[in-house]
Amino acid sequence: MRAALWFVALFGVAVASALLIGGNQSTVTVFWSPYRVDLSLNLVLLVLLVLFVMLHLAWRAMSALFELPHLARRWRLQQKERAMHAALLDALSELWSGRYVRATKSAEKALALEHLLASVRTADDVAPRHAHQLRAVSHLVAAESAHALRDRDARVSHLQAVMDMNRDPSDETVEETREAAYLAAARWAMSDRDAPEAMRWLDGLRHGAARRMLALRMRLKVARLNQQHASALDTARLLAKHGAFSDAAGQSLLRELAVASLNEAHDSAQLQHAWDRLEPTERNQPDVVLHAAQRMLKLSGEAATVMPWLTPLWNRMVQQPDSCSPAVRERVAQALARALVLLPADPDWLDSIERARQTYPRWVELQYLAGMVCWHHALWGKAQQMLEQAAPQLAHADMQRQAWRTLAQLAEQKEDTVRAQLCWKRAAEV
């Protein structure tokens, strides 16, 4: 289409020129005393056109001649700039290949070329727009290599050079370079096991940069290194929300951090506060619930506080038997036994446990739990029957020991000394 339009335009110009020149009878008279020269208008126009073209070509030739020194200078600057880029690429490739000494030398060469280029450049020369980033990346590569070589002084020197360079507010890449330097410094501090220093660098990031995946992962590692499990749990939630982990890994990490945050509590009030800070999905995990219940019973013995935590887990275990492993069932039975013994006798719980025992007769832990609750309700005969069946089969040492101790106490109540001594002996042997 474009070629057709050009052809039509050229045809129109040719037709117009033929019409103008073919029938043009005008003349141009030039008086140059004592002469008179008559010239055709077409010839005059042709001569003027030729003179214009010749003058234009002569002007272009003169401009090119005077531009040669500038072209030569620009070529030399381009050669220096290319050598600078080549040195930086060499530094990056050598850094990734583990040649840290060579990477340091290549980065320093790139910095020297950049400094030379800046010193010889005049106001008429165009500065590269990426010179700031190139200088910053060279310093960071040199600092990374120094960190790998355990040269702390060189690492700090290059990092400080980046920080000083970033004080120029006119460059639009200042914030990006600052973020890269802050992240690198935090990673180096974390490698040195200096958690406060790493956290200080991470806190210096902007809000948007601080919520990036890389920054959040580093913050999680630093918080765990600094034993700040509550902060680590909040960070892990953000990472899990952004899909940083697989489902299994995310649940395992959140469960571990939730348990660690509960361990930081030193009294019942702190433990209740830590429990309230957990999300519903975390409070539904059996390991978290059982650990919180056991720690609450250990700190204060407030069984009334523990029962609302254990009741949903008990209902789930009874209604969905496949949702809990045998180890979890043992821990649930042990925690319920400890809590119910500390509370007044509750017939509803006794009925619920009896129904569960009849539904799942092969669950030894339910026999143990039923025996302990019957003992608490002063049902001595049934308690002895349940515990005698469960005690030899229990795999959990604490539960087996508690079962034998309870049997020993029941035997002492009946003044059966021989039976009591045998039960105490069995408890001591566990």
Side-chain angles (χ1 to χ4, degrees):
M1 184 65 183
R2 182 179 298 178
L5 293 176
W6 274 108
F7 179 76
V8 171
L10 183 61
F11 181 77
V13 170
V15 171
S17 300
L19 292 175
L20 177 64
I21 297 174
N24 189 3
Q25 301 297 327
S26 302
T27 59
V28 176
T29 302
V30 178
F31 292 93
W32 188 277
S33 181
Y35 305 102
R36 171 183 174 177
V37 180
D38 292 328
L39 300 173
S40 171
L41 179 61
N42 295 336
L43 178 62
V44 171
L45 292 177
L46 180 60
V47 170
L48 290 176
L49 179 61
V50 171
L51 288 176
F52 174 77
V53 171
M54 292 180 62
L55 288 175
H56 177 72
L57 293 176
W59 177 260
R60 292 287 299 274
M62 293 297 293
S63 299
L65 180 63
F66 287 113
E67 188 67 19
L68 284 178
H70 299 286
L71 292 177
R73 177 181 177 80
R74 189 179 305 168
W75 180 84
R76 289 194 296 269
L77 292 178
Q78 287 179 351
Q79 292 299 110
K80 291 184 175 63
E81 187 175 348
R82 290 173 181 174
M84 177 179 61
H85 284 89
L88 179 58
L89 291 176
D90 291 340
L92 289 172
S93 61
E94 289 160 356
L95 173 65
W96 292 334
S97 61
R99 298 178 175 179
Y100 301 115
V101 176
R102 294 186 180 183
T104 302
K105 293 181 180 179
S106 298
E108 291 176 350
K109 179 181 177 181
L111 290 171
L113 288 173
E114 193 277 334
H115 179 72
L116 177 62
L117 190 64
S119 63
V120 300
R121 191 172 57 241
T122 62
D124 296 333
D125 299 324
V126 180
R129 295 182 57 186
H130 52 274
H132 181 280
Q133 288 179 309
L134 189 142
R135 185 164 64 252
V137 171
S138 299
H139 278 298
L140 289 177
V141 169
E144 186 70 36
S145 301
H147 172 73
L149 296 172
R150 304 191 66 80
D151 188 353
R152 182 179 177 85
D153 295 336
R155 187 190 74 186
V156 172
S157 175
H158 285 289
L159 180 61
Q160 188 61 41
V162 177
M163 294 293 105
D164 295 340
M165 180 180 58
N166 284 338
R167 293 176 182 174
D168 182 11
S170 61
D171 201 314
E172 59 184 6
T173 61
V174 166
E175 290 300 331
E176 296 178 0
T177 309
R178 182 184 296 274
E179 291 166 5
Y182 272 56
L183 289 172
R187 180 164 47 82
W188 298 332
M190 187 170 58
S191 177
D192 294 338
R193 312 293 292 180
D194 190 352
E197 180 69 11
M199 189 61 70
R200 184 179 69 84
W201 286 108
L202 290 175
D203 291 338
L205 292 171
R206 293 183 301 172
H207 181 69
R211 295 181 67 86
R212 293 174 187 167
M213 195 78 70
L214 176 61
L216 289 176
R217 286 182 180 273
M218 295 178 62
R219 186 175 291 274
L220 174 61
K221 294 180 181 178
V222 171
R224 298 185 70 180
L225 179 63
N226 206 25
Q227 300 296 319
Q228 297 176 349
H229 297 108
S231 176
L233 181 58
D234 294 336
T235 307
R237 288 168 182 164
L238 285 176
L239 286 170
K241 182 180 179 181
H242 294 308
F245 313 112
S246 63
D247 294 338
Q251 291 180 2
S252 177
L253 178 61
L254 291 175
R255 179 172 61 250
E256 179 185 352
L257 292 175
V259 171
S261 65
L262 293 174
N263 287 334
E264 292 180 346
H266 300 291
D267 54 37
S268 59
Q270 292 181 358
L271 183 59
Q272 183 66 47
H273 179 67
W275 174 263
D276 294 336
R277 289 186 59 186
L278 298 179
E279 294 185 351
T281 56
E282 297 162 359
R283 289 198 292 264
N284 288 332
Q285 296 189 17
D287 291 339
V288 178
V289 176
L290 293 171
H291 186 80
Q294 292 171 357
R295 186 153 180 81
M296 178 64 77
L297 293 174
K298 181 179 179 181
L299 291 175
S300 63
E302 298 179 2
T305 305
V306 170
M307 292 306 298
W309 304 349
L310 294 175
T311 301
L313 183 58
W314 164 260
N315 294 332
R316 191 195 320 166
M317 184 185 75
V318 174
Q319 297 172 4
Q320 303 174 4
D322 296 336
S323 63
C324 297
S325 63
V328 172
R329 292 201 304 265
E330 289 180 353
R331 295 180 62 187
V332 172
Q334 184 184 16
L336 280 174
R338 290 184 59 187
L340 290 174
V341 168
L342 297 175
L343 292 173
D346 190 348
D348 294 336
W349 268 105
L350 181 61
D351 295 340
S352 177
I353 294 171
E354 184 62 23
R355 287 194 302 269
R357 187 185 66 82
Q358 294 176 0
T359 305
Y360 309 104
R362 295 185 179 181
W363 289 6
V364 182
E365 55 272 6
L366 289 183
Q367 294 182 2
Y368 165 81
L369 178 59
M372 294 299 298
V373 175
C374 288
W375 173 75
H376 183 57
H377 284 71
L379 302 175
W380 315 122
K382 193 170 184 179
Q384 182 177 358
Q385 179 186 359
M386 293 293 104
L387 292 176
E388 285 179 349
Q389 294 177 1
Q393 304 179 41
L394 289 171
H396 197 280
D398 292 339
M399 296 173 65
Q400 190 177 21
R401 190 181 302 112
Q402 182 61 39
W404 285 119
R405 284 201 299 258
T406 305
L407 287 172
Q409 294 174 4
L410 289 173
E412 290 177 350
Q413 291 178 359
K414 295 180 179 181
E415 298 182 355
D416 188 351
T417 307
V418 177
R419 178 65 180 173
Q421 290 178 352
L422 179 61
C423 292
W424 283 117
K425 183 180 178 181
R426 294 285 183 84
E429 291 175 351
V430 174

